[in-house]
Amino acid sequence: MINEPIDLPTALKSFDQLWSPRIVTQVNDYDVRIAKVAGEHIWHAHENTDEFFLVLDGELSIGLRDGEPGGADGGERVVVLPQGAVFVVPRGVEHRPFSTAGASILMFEPTGTSTVGDRHDAVPGHVDATTGHALG
């Protein structure tokens, strides 16, 4: 990793792929990833780790199947994150990020965490099943 300051707007301009995170730095055993998103990701869960989201630009929604009050039948609900908002999806909770108008996000995840969690089949072509790509 580079031991210099990283300008996130410049880093985001360096790629166009959606749902294909770039690793901007590492903190201990965690990747700090940025991504551009639009449309829908897939329902998935991370059994061994929480997932931290920070919206840098735009608005991100996350569908959750966590059984919390306010959810529809089956315990589904949606949290809406405007620019500047943070949210943590707890480990083991099935979730689906989506953004109608597009967004730029920052995520903290343990190094090696797959973007599709427990999903290993039927991953649509617009979702990059990866553990993150190097920036630049």
Side-chain angles (χ1 to χ4, degrees):
M1 291 277 112
I2 299 172
N3 193 18
E4 294 292 328
I6 298 164
D7 181 71
L8 292 179
T10 300
L12 284 160
K13 289 178 186 175
S14 72
F15 65 98
D16 293 320
Q17 297 83 2
L18 298 175
W19 301 112
S20 184
R22 300 304 190 264
I23 301 168
V24 294
T25 193
Q26 292 180 312
V27 178
N28 298 317
D29 297 328
Y30 280 74
D31 290 340
V32 179
R33 302 176 184 180
I34 56 172
K36 294 178 181 180
V37 301
E40 297 182 355
H41 201 275
I42 59 172
W43 284 103
H44 67 286
H46 302 279
E47 292 302 324
N48 298 313
T49 185
D50 300 337
E51 188 169 15
F52 172 93
F53 292 89
L54 164 63
V55 179
L56 301 171
D57 186 50
E59 182 177 274
L60 179 73
S61 296
I62 303 175
L64 299 162
R65 292 179 175 157
D66 60 2
E68 288 288 324
D73 290 338
E76 286 186 20
R77 66 184 177 113
V78 174
V79 294
V80 178
L81 309 176
Q83 181 177 339
V86 299
F87 186 77
V88 175
V89 176
R91 71 185 72 217
V93 171
E94 194 172 17
H95 60 286
R96 178 183 55 93
F98 62 96
S99 178
T100 304
S104 297
I105 61 176
L106 182 142
M107 298 161 289
F108 286 108
E109 297 182 297
T111 299
T113 300
S114 170
T115 57
V116 296
D118 63 351
R119 291 289 302 269
H120 304 289
D121 61 339
V123 176
H126 73 280
V127 173
D128 187 7
T130 181
T131 57
H133 300 283
L135 184 62

